[in-house]
Amino acid sequence: MDTPFLRVEDSGVVISLRGEVTTVGRGRGVDIRLDDPSVSRLHAELIRRGPYVYVVDLGLSRNGTRVNGRPVARRVLDEGDVLSFGAARCRIGGLPQEDLTEEAELRRAATPDLTRRELDVLTSLCRPALSDEAFVMPATAHEIATDLVVTEAAVKQHLLRLYQKFRVPEGPNRRTRLANEVVALGLVKPMPLPPAGAGAGAGSGEASGVSLPEQPVRRRGEQAS
């Protein structure tokens, strides 16, 4: 096939991914229908960007989406990857084989798999850095909690796991260092800022024995002065 395709393992049916967005689920209105009770009516999307395809879990099923057995929120796919939508298994094919540079290989290896909620936390954390402001601070744990309508304690637990996943060592400006790494990897996309006054928090959201000033997050391509 000249176009990317998805093969349903149980039935052997092969579906070409011709559109820019291909919906996957159990409902009658999706592009790829998987008749399995563990699959939600609208479970995931397969997005084409040029010759590449990435999968997005829509967060509407408690069973989630996995790539090669690992839960994902969003991930670029490689030739032969096995996708699990709930218990339904499919395999992606027809993707280009390319020789990545050593730098690109290292960059891809440095990108951990993220859950949907972890991706939400990172997007909220980095949202100020993706605005039009020149120098901004990353969102605090309190602001993230307000944005996502969860507890501040839950956000702090997610941040601790994200520090470990991205290997951000303890020390000053830890949230800023995490945000810089995430923006550099291109894992978040620009989102509109909330209205003035929305989600503003008074606290820093992270306990620290020493009060240290935060450093601004540098946007992609911006040089440090």
Side-chain angles (χ1 to χ4, degrees):
M1 283 191 174
D2 295 332
T3 59
F5 62 87
L6 195 71
R7 183 189 301 275
V8 182
E9 291 202 341
D10 283 347
S11 63
V13 172
V14 176
I15 303 102
S16 296
L17 307 179
R18 298 188 181 277
E20 184 175 301
V21 179
T22 302
T23 53
V24 181
R26 186 167 44 88
R28 294 183 178 180
V30 299
D31 299 314
I32 299 178
R33 189 179 182 194
L34 301 173
D35 190 14
D36 189 295
S38 66
V39 180
S40 66
R41 286 177 295 176
L42 182 58
H43 196 106
E45 291 179 337
L46 295 167
I47 314 294
R48 287 189 63 181
R49 289 291 182 265
Y52 307 106
V53 177
Y54 67 90
V55 63
V56 178
D57 178 66
L58 297 178
L60 303 176
S61 170
R62 69 183 63 181
N63 298 311
T65 300
R66 296 173 179 267
V67 175
N68 300 326
R70 304 183 68 176
V72 298
R74 178 172 57 186
R75 176 164 171 169
V76 177
L77 300 173
D78 291 321
E79 176 73 13
D81 278 348
V82 175
L83 290 80
S84 300
F85 306 103
R89 287 165 54 94
C90 305
R91 188 179 297 271
I92 190 80
L95 298 179
Q97 299 289 320
E98 58 184 24
D99 294 327
L100 298 177
T101 65
E102 183 178 354
E103 181 181 356
E105 287 282 11
L106 290 173
R107 178 70 71 182
R108 188 170 71 173
T111 306
D113 289 321
L114 302 171
T115 66
R116 181 177 60 87
R117 178 54 75 185
E118 287 172 342
L119 188 60
D120 289 342
V121 170
L122 289 176
T123 300
S124 184
L125 172 74
C126 299
R127 181 179 295 173
L130 297 170
S131 70
D132 293 329
E133 300 293 331
F135 297 99
V136 292
M137 305 300 175
T140 65
H142 178 81
E143 291 167 341
I144 296 171
T146 301
D147 184 28
L148 302 181
V149 196
V150 296
T151 66
E152 193 169 338
V155 170
K156 290 180 179 179
Q157 287 299 315
H158 283 300
L159 286 173
L160 286 174
R161 285 193 290 270
L162 288 166
Y163 293 145
Q164 295 172 351
K165 284 189 173 186
F166 286 91
R167 300 181 181 179
V168 179
E170 294 183 4
N173 305 321
R174 201 177 189 189
R175 275 186 298 108
T176 302
R177 285 181 281 132
L178 173 62
N180 275 325
E181 180 67 15
V182 170
V183 171
L185 288 170
L187 295 179
V188 294
K189 58 184 178 180
M191 294 179 62
L193 286 170
S204 67
E206 291 189 30
S208 175
V210 181
S211 177
L212 292 168
E214 285 277 17
Q215 299 297 317
V217 177
R218 296 193 301 275
R219 292 186 299 231
R220 294 188 71 182
E222 193 171 84
Q223 298 296 323
S225 56

